[in-house]
Amino acid sequence: MTSYQSNPEAIATDEETIGINHVEIIENVIDTLEQDDSAMVNHAAEGGTLWKFKYGSVEVFVQLGGKTDEDTLTVWSAVLKLPAKDEPKLMRQLLEMNCSSTFEARFGIIENQVVVIAIRTLADLSASEVSRLITVVASIADNNDDALQSEFGAT
């Protein structure tokens, strides 16, 4: 990944001619949330883009899978490494939180890590939805990582 500085004038793509410029919107949202100039971006050869930035005590990842309506925007942040202490209690707590406090996001497991994640196809995706998804994942992850690590983190 490489560091980046947002330059909206330099982000003229075919997306602008057909509507929303997802790259520009994502970078603008990250610029408002990231701390300590921590934002980095990686452009994949297949056309996808991956951003990483620091928000509070967590790292947040934003992946734009492409430009078509069927492609996805995925936002995630790891909050706890597995295995954990009292995993049945942890899983119950995460399921309860999924029902009551995660909005469009949810807790899940990726590569032996508990993550907060949100996935949305690009079809009819508005700028405000992009902003909300990134902000919701970052906030939920930052608000819960310390407590989850304290209670369930391996010793």
Side-chain angles (χ1 to χ4, degrees):
M1 294 193 132
T2 57
S3 295
Y4 84 98
Q5 293 295 321
S6 180
N7 183 358
E9 294 82 27
I11 307 173
T13 67
D14 291 340
E15 291 173 4
E16 289 176 324
T17 61
I18 58 171
I20 187 170
N21 183 332
H22 295 100
V23 171
E24 182 177 348
I25 292 165
I26 291 166
E27 290 186 350
N28 287 336
V29 172
I30 289 172
D31 282 344
T32 66
L33 296 175
E34 64 102 11
Q35 300 169 341
D36 304 323
D37 290 326
S38 61
M40 300 177 80
V41 63
N42 183 15
H43 300 281
E46 307 82 47
T49 307
L50 176 67
W51 293 265
K52 175 177 83 168
F53 67 97
K54 182 111 171 118
Y55 182 81
S57 57
V58 297
E59 283 189 331
V60 180
F61 296 86
V62 180
Q63 183 173 29
L64 182 61
K67 298 178 183 177
T68 70
D69 282 354
E70 293 79 31
D71 289 318
T72 58
L73 172 66
T74 305
V75 184
W76 75 95
S77 180
V79 295
L80 178 67
K81 291 184 182 199
L82 296 175
K85 293 185 281 189
D86 199 355
E87 285 194 19
K89 181 179 178 186
L90 169 64
M91 296 306 148
R92 180 180 180 95
Q93 182 172 328
L94 295 176
L95 281 172
E96 289 172 352
M97 292 169 73
N98 276 349
C99 285
S100 64
S101 61
T102 57
F103 306 102
E104 295 85 6
R106 62 193 178 276
F107 286 96
I109 298 173
I110 299 175
E111 296 178 2
N112 285 322
Q113 292 187 322
V114 174
V115 299
V116 179
I117 189 168
I119 303 171
R120 169 75 158 78
T121 60
L122 300 184
D124 300 320
L125 181 65
S126 70
S128 62
E129 287 177 289
V130 171
S131 178
R132 181 169 169 85
L133 285 178
I134 296 171
T135 303
V136 163
V137 169
S139 298
I140 291 171
D142 186 48
N143 289 341
N144 289 285
D145 67 320
D146 293 334
L148 290 170
Q149 290 169 21
S150 175
E151 185 172 354
F152 299 106
T155 55

